[in-house]
């Protein structure tokens, strides 16, 4: 996140905050030289294409009709600080164990439920019921993000909520009931101004218990800049704040965690982190970690599990691996991050959303710890450069077997339209369809008004909410209703959805690598709930199979090194695989 190019020019000279009266000269970063892409209309976000009459949109924003009524907003307050615009989070997961994915909204900032969460239970018939009251999640707080993982291996996914000056750990008691067990857990916020953003679970040392990384952003408090003067008062970018550094917590059992950041070699993280994701990028069976840092080089930490005791040491390779900088070799405003094998080579690739006038970064995994940026040649770059991107996920929208990309966009200046006449605080979401692993086509128009209607998009989570074999999307809007985008693509491609149950590995099997083979075709994915921005997604693994009517085998490489092979599963449909 940063300033628009026109505003960055102002950052080259001395300027003052309008609220604190503190003045000083600031040196512009290399990104300040970036020029805006030319706009051929009065709005740089509009597409020039049109759709044929009668075209049926692929997605429907069905939140209200489904009973999901969460809304966010600042009730006309302006301008907003950087803390106020970073947004609420969300999660998609089966919290009550009935086989249907539920929805959790984190940190609503609406006129009725300021600073609270909302839990919606999936009724199994396409509707949801608000079960927040009595859930144990009612207490308000400066909440932002969420991570989901079964910390005690009891078969019920637990919740970690992050925010400004707060981290909360909730144990799942079953039946959509949760208990706050933060006190004494080791996860308490280190200070009242500690700013925790995204978080993610992984069994880093493969001891069968899920560990946790909590990202942190910048030092922001009553003594720092509140606003910057861009001709108008507006929130400041990250270059004006010192970084906060995230923490790795080892799960030591009984609901307790130990801070092992320094012990495991992660104290060198650059900070200002907004996105975190785990994946085994080099195929050695140990989870590695990427941190999306805002106006700082990105961090890729390689797990040295095969060379040290039980995976309890990391090596930083962000810049040398090719994922530390943008395609032009500059720092970028990284926000949302996600791993996915978009080109079917069996290796997880990386996508990173960035600030306005920066092409979003698609990094192709070439040799495990060496990535090549492919934004330009795949078509992702030019189509994303006018947007401020936050939440993102790889998602096979049409079950053709190729991972597409969804992005939630929205500016960080609530008065951006006054600062930049071509700009806007609210922006359309974007959808890019994968064409055989080589290029991506912008299909936002086809996705429908749930995408094209502007939002101040932040968190984005995915999961099949109505169990029809098509993956749906949930997006938070800083200044509007939660969007529940139900997938209605009219194709008949086959699919397979896999639920994993660990026994000696962690119960949710987070970190398991699954390969599905059908004839000469092969698809692969890792089980996770993390990635994106401030959000958690359904851990069930969804594989689009295109026209394949038969699957030869499913191979599961469990996090503890065991393997399971299932031959000739029924398709389409669901299958549960338990570790033996």
């Amino acid at each position: 996140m940063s300033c628009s190019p026109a505003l960055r020019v102002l950052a080259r000279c001395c300027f003052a905050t309008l609220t604190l009266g503190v003045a000083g000269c600031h040196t512009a970063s290399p990104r300040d030289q970036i020029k805006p892409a030319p706009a051929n209309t009065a709005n740089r976000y509009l597409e020039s294409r049109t759709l044929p009459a009668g075209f049926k949109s692929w997605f429907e924003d069905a939140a209200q009709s489904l009973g999901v009524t969460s809304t966010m907003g600042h009730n006309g307050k302006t301008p907003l600080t950087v803390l106020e615009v970073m947004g609420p989070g969300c999660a998609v997961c089966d919290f009550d164990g009935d086989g249907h994915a539920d929805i959790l909204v984190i940190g609503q900032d609406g006129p009725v439920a300021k600073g609270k969460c909302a839990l919606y239970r999936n009724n199994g018939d396409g509707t949801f019921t608000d079960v927040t009251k009595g859930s144990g999640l009612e207490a308000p707080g400066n909440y932002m993000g969420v991570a989901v993982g079964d910390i005690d291996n009891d078969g019920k996914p637990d919740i970690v909520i992050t925010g400004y000056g707060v981290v909360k750990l909730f144990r799942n008691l079953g039946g959509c009931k949760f208990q706050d067990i933060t006190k004494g857990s080791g996860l308490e916020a280190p200070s009242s101004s500690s700013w925790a953003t995204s978080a993610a679970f992984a069994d880093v040392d493969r001891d069968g218990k899920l560990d946790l990384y909590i990202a942190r952003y910048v030092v922001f408090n009553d003594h720092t800049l509140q606003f910057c003067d861009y001709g108008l008062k507006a929130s400041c970018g990250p270059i004006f704040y010192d970084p906060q550094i995230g923490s790795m917590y080892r799960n030591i059992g009984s609901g307790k965690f130990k801070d092992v950041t320094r012990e495991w070699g992660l104290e060198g993280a650059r900070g200002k982190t907004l996105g975190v994701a785990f994946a085994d990028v080099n195929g050695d069976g140990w989870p590695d970690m990427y941190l999306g840092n805002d106006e700082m080089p990105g961090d890729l930490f390689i797990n040295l599990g095969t060379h040290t005791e039980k995976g309890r040491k990391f090596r930083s390779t962000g810049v040398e691996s090719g994922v530390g900088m943008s395609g032009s070799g500059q720092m970028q405003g990284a926000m949302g991050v996600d791993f996915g094998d978009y080109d079917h080579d069996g290796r997880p690739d990386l996508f990173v959303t960035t600030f306005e006038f920066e092409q979003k970064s698609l990094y192709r995994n070439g040799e495990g710890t060496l990535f090549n940026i492919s934004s330009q040649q795949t078509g992702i770059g030019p189509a994303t450069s006018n947007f401020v991107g936050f939440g993102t996920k790889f998602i096979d929208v049409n079950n053709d077997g190729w991972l597409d990309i969804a992005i939630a966009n929205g500016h960080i200046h609530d008065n951006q339209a006054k600062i930049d006449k071509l700009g806007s605080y609210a922006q359309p979401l974007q959808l890019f369809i994968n064409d055989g692993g080589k290029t991506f086509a912008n299909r936002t128009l086809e996705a429908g008004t749930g995408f094209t209607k502007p939002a101040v998009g932040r968190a984005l989570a995915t999961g099949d909410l109505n169990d029809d074999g098509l993956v749906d999307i949930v997006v938070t809007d800083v200044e509007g209703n939660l969007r529940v985008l139900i997938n209605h693509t009219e194709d008949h491609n086959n699919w397979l959805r896999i639920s994993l149950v660990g026994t000696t590995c962690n119960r949710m099997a987070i970190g398991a690598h699954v390969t599905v083979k059908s004839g000469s075709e092969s698809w692969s994915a890792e089980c996770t709930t993390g990635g994106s921005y401030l959000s958690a997604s359904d851990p069930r693994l969804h594989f689009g199979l295109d026209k394949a009517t038969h699957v030869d085998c499913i191979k599961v490489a469990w996090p503890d090194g065991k393997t399971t092979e299932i031959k000739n599963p029924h398709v389409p449909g669901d299958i549960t695989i338990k570790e033996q």
Side-chain angles (χ1 to χ4, degrees), residues 270-299:
R270 293 174 173 88
K272 299 186 182 181
T273 306
L274 291 175
V276 54
F278 286 95
D280 179 10
V281 302
N282 55 3
D284 66 354
W286 296 86
D288 310 302
M289 180 177 69
Y290 180 79
L291 304 179
N293 303 324
D294 196 358
E295 287 295 342
M296 303 284 275
D299 287 309

Side-chain angles (χ1 to χ4, degrees), residues 222-448:
D222 291 342
H223 304 291
T224 60
L225 295 171
Q226 301 295 297
F227 300 103
C228 288
D229 185 356
Y230 305 117
L232 291 175
K233 186 167 62 172
S235 60
C236 300
I239 61 175
F240 303 111
Y241 302 103
D242 293 330
Q244 290 194 27
I245 309 300
S247 299
M248 177 68 79
Y249 297 93
R250 183 186 174 214
N251 188 338
I252 57 177
S254 301
K256 310 293 184 183
F257 289 80
K258 177 186 177 184
D259 188 335
V260 292
T261 309
R262 181 174 294 275
E263 179 183 342
W264 288 7
L266 296 166
E267 74 278 9
R270 293 174 173 88
K272 299 186 182 181
T273 306
L274 291 175
V276 54
F278 286 95
D280 179 10
V281 302
N282 55 3
D284 66 354
W286 296 86
D288 310 302
M289 180 177 69
Y290 180 79
L291 304 179
N293 303 324
D294 196 358
E295 287 295 342
M296 303 284 275
D299 287 309
L300 177 62
F301 286 99
I302 298 299
N303 190 330
L304 301 178
T306 55
H307 308 289
T308 61
E309 181 189 3
K310 298 181 179 179
R312 296 174 185 169
K313 192 64 95 173
F314 285 84
R315 178 171 63 91
S316 176
T317 66
V319 175
E320 66 185 79
S321 66
V323 297
M325 300 291 188
S326 69
S328 57
Q330 298 178 344
M331 291 187 296
Q332 58 193 5
M335 271 84 89
V337 302
D338 199 34
F339 282 105
D341 181 12
Y342 82 86
D343 56 358
H344 286 191
D345 65 357
R347 295 186 291 264
D349 309 298
L350 174 66
F351 185 69
V352 180
T353 60
T354 61
F355 196 72
E356 189 176 28
F357 307 127
E358 296 174 342
Q359 297 188 8
K360 309 310 174 257
S361 294
L362 179 62
Y363 300 99
R364 182 178 179 271
N365 189 335
E367 298 177 6
T369 58
L370 181 62
F371 288 73
N372 302 301
I373 192 158
S374 58
S375 306
Q376 187 74 23
Q377 55 265 45
T378 57
I380 283 284
T384 57
S385 61
N386 284 334
F387 296 81
V388 180
F390 279 88
T392 187
K393 290 294 288 184
F394 283 103
I395 170 178
D396 186 355
V397 167
N398 52 11
N399 285 339
D400 67 351
W402 296 94
L403 290 178
D404 313 305
I405 297 175
I407 307 173
N409 297 309
H411 214 283
I412 52 88
H413 295 148
D414 61 290
N415 52 0
Q416 179 64 15
K418 294 180 180 179
I419 296 172
D420 176 0
K421 66 180 181 181
L422 295 180
S424 176
Y425 182 36
Q427 300 176 0
L429 283 64
Q430 289 183 292
L431 179 65
F432 293 89
I433 299 298
N434 189 335
D435 185 6
K438 300 186 182 302
T439 61
F440 287 84
N442 187 354
R443 292 293 180 261
T444 303
L445 286 180
E446 287 87 342

Side-chain angles (χ1 to χ4, degrees), residues 31 45 53 89 93 140-141 157 160 172 221 268 271 300 337 381 387 407 441 444 465 516 543 547:
R31 269 185 46 187
Y45 312 114
C93 189
V160 167
N172 191 334
N221 53 47
L300 177 62
V337 302
F387 296 81
I407 307 173
T444 303
L465 296 170
V516 175
F543 291 91
K547 303 303 180 186

